[in-house]
Amino acid sequence: MQASLARKASSVLLDFKRLDYPDVDPPEWHKIVTIRKENDAVKVGELPMRYWLLPPYAPGYEENYRKHSEL
C-alpha cells in the first residue's frame, strides 16, 4: 500500500493506474520505489531501474546484488 501511495505516476509496465496521477510512465518515474519498516514508521526510498548493473560492480550477480542492496 505504501509503495503504491509513494508512486506518483501511472505505469503500463507495472499495470498500475492512479486516477490522481494519470501521466503514464513519465521519465522521472523510471525507478523502483522501495519501502522498509523502521521502528514503527514506514520509510520510502527509491532505486534506479536496473540498479544492480550500476557501479560498484562485483564479479558475480549475487555478490553484485548484495553490494547494491546494502546501499
Side-chain angles (χ1 to χ4, degrees), residues 47-71:
L47 290 170
M49 297 297 280
R50 300 171 58 122
Y51 66 92
W52 58 91
L53 298 176
L54 301 173
Y57 297 111
Y61 178 79
E62 188 173 331
E63 184 182 347
N64 204 28
Y65 176 81
R66 282 194 187 136
K67 195 176 257 194
H68 283 285
S69 295
E70 295 171 359
L71 295 177

Side-chain angles (χ1 to χ4, degrees), residues 9-59:
S10 295
S11 175
V12 171
L13 179 65
L14 299 173
D15 194 26
F16 182 77
K17 298 174 184 89
R18 285 197 57 166
L19 296 176
D20 52 345
Y21 293 98
D23 290 345
V24 177
D25 294 319
E28 64 271 16
W29 277 96
H30 289 186
K31 55 188 164 188
I32 298 169
V33 174
T34 63
I35 58 168
R36 72 176 187 276
K37 188 172 181 182
E38 194 172 286
N39 299 322
D40 286 333
V42 175
K43 299 292 183 179
V44 178
E46 59 186 52
L47 290 170
M49 297 297 280
R50 300 171 58 122
Y51 66 92
W52 58 91
L53 298 176
L54 301 173
Y57 297 111

